[in-house]
Amino acid sequence: MRDLRERLAPWPDGGYLVGGAVRDALLGLPSSDYDWVVSDPRRAALSLGAALGGGAFEMDAARRHWRVALPDGVLHDFAPVREGASDIVGDLALRDLTIN
């Protein structure tokens, strides 16, 4: 996972990588779609977009979801801990971890 952390630099402050990209990393597969749980999705998206030359935009104002689209087609989605969860462990328990 350290290699992944280096490839995804800059890692969002206090961010947790979740979803299919984690599975792909564990399987040694490439990914172009990264999902993050962060405390401030807007700040994380704007920061990553500025650092990597991507466009950051709000996808869902009510749920505070933001996306960064990088010039190479890679997507980074940022969301806060899910409603009903108090921390990342609770957030993960609410996720659908089935494979599509």
Side-chain angles (χ1 to χ4, degrees):
M1 290 300 270
R2 183 173 189 195
D3 179 52
L4 178 65
R5 194 170 177 92
E6 291 170 3
R7 282 189 289 129
L8 294 178
W11 196 274
D13 289 337
Y16 295 94
L17 184 63
V18 297
V22 174
R23 176 202 61 231
D24 292 347
L26 292 171
L27 294 173
L29 301 172
S31 187
S32 61
D33 183 9
Y34 299 93
D35 297 311
W36 300 91
V37 172
V38 295
S39 61
D40 186 343
R42 178 184 180 276
R43 183 174 55 113
L46 293 174
S47 177
L48 185 71
L52 300 180
F57 56 94
E58 188 173 46
M59 290 187 359
D60 184 334
R63 295 188 307 160
R64 298 178 46 218
H65 289 199
W66 280 72
R67 172 171 281 176
V68 174
L70 299 179
D72 61 1
V74 173
L75 300 175
H76 290 265
D77 292 340
F78 297 91
V81 168
R82 291 171 184 244
E83 190 171 320
S86 61
D87 58 15
I88 188 63
V89 174
D91 181 277
L92 292 172
L94 295 173
R95 291 180 173 270
D96 174 7
L97 300 176
T98 59
I99 297 176
N100 305 7

